[in-house]
Amino acid sequence: SLNRLSEAMATVFFVLNELGEDLPEEISPEDVQTAMLSSQQLLDGCSKEDIVGAPRLKDEKKQWVVKLMDLMMPTVFMVSPRLLPILANRMIKILMRDGACKECASGLSSYGLCLITVRHDINAGYSCSKLAIALLESFNATGSYHKVNCTIQNMVNYLVEPIQSTAAVLLETYEGLR
């Protein structure tokens, strides 16, 4: 039920707070815009090579922060969608300042989705989703790849690519998740 999901989110947010990531309880439209602008500034001028070649995240505490945020993304999308750009921004900050891990791809793909839904910028969202896939491929992360790719195919790529290419990738993703 929705109450159980909210309880799960509260527990994860408590743990994130203990790890030094304080997330706001109430999120205003201004908070969303601030997170979107921050992510844009962090990624401004970054190429695929910059993302793929980013140093690997060594800080174990930050790794747990990103893993927990990655696990919460689907729940946040359903229960508190305004929080999605905030979490994506935090993951992108860690990627750009501390280093990359495969879970950072979830932050990039979620930011790409937010570019489409909040800013109505399909091309920028599509480009960001391609960065997420490139990052996952650099880690050879098959499990995470299928999860992130499913999100990207269902919510981003169909806006740009022919439906035939999206359908083929969704079938591949389905097979990979079975």
Side-chain angles (χ1 to χ4, degrees):
S1 79
L2 197 54
N3 287 340
R4 300 287 304 204
L5 289 175
S6 295
E7 288 174 26
M9 279 180 46
T11 301
V12 171
F13 294 159
F14 173 80
V15 174
L16 287 170
N17 189 41
E18 292 293 309
L19 291 171
E21 282 295 328
D22 188 29
L23 295 166
E25 290 184 27
E26 297 293 322
I27 298 162
S28 69
E30 293 78 26
D31 294 331
V32 170
Q33 291 304 325
T34 300
M36 294 294 292
L37 181 60
S38 173
S39 295
Q40 179 183 347
Q41 290 170 342
L42 287 164
L43 293 171
D44 193 36
C46 277
S47 67
K48 175 181 166 183
E49 291 73 25
D50 294 331
I51 298 296
V52 170
R56 298 313 191 210
L57 181 59
K58 302 254 189 269
D59 184 331
E60 190 174 341
K61 192 164 116 175
K62 295 283 186 188
Q63 287 175 353
W64 278 108
V65 165
V66 176
K67 285 179 185 187
L68 287 170
M69 287 181 180
D70 174 49
L71 287 171
M72 287 307 298
M73 285 297 194
T75 304
V76 165
F77 180 77
M78 292 184 295
V79 176
S80 183
R82 278 190 180 174
L83 188 55
L84 198 65
I86 310 290
L87 287 181
N89 176 252
R90 300 287 178 90
M91 295 171 88
I92 291 168
K93 279 182 183 176
I94 290 171
L95 166 66
M96 300 308 289
R97 294 180 180 167
D98 301 302
C101 62
K102 65 183 180 182
E103 291 83 6
C104 289
S106 179
L108 288 168
S109 66
S110 294
Y111 176 60
L113 177 60
C114 292
L115 282 167
I116 293 168
T117 58
V118 176
R119 294 269 170 89
H120 309 288
D121 190 340
I122 293 171
N123 290 330
Y126 181 73
S127 294
C128 198
S129 71
K130 292 298 182 191
L131 291 177
I133 293 298
L135 180 62
L136 283 172
E137 288 173 348
S138 76
F139 280 95
N140 198 22
T142 54
S144 297
Y145 175 84
H146 293 301
K147 180 180 131 187
V148 170
N149 201 27
C150 185
T151 301
I152 290 170
Q153 293 298 325
N154 280 315
M155 299 184 174
V156 176
N157 288 9
Y158 79 95
L159 296 167
V160 178
E161 296 178 3
I163 194 69
Q164 295 85 350
S165 66
T166 300
V169 175
L170 283 173
L171 181 59
E172 173 191 322
T173 300
Y174 169 76
E175 293 296 330
L177 290 172
R178 284 179 31 162

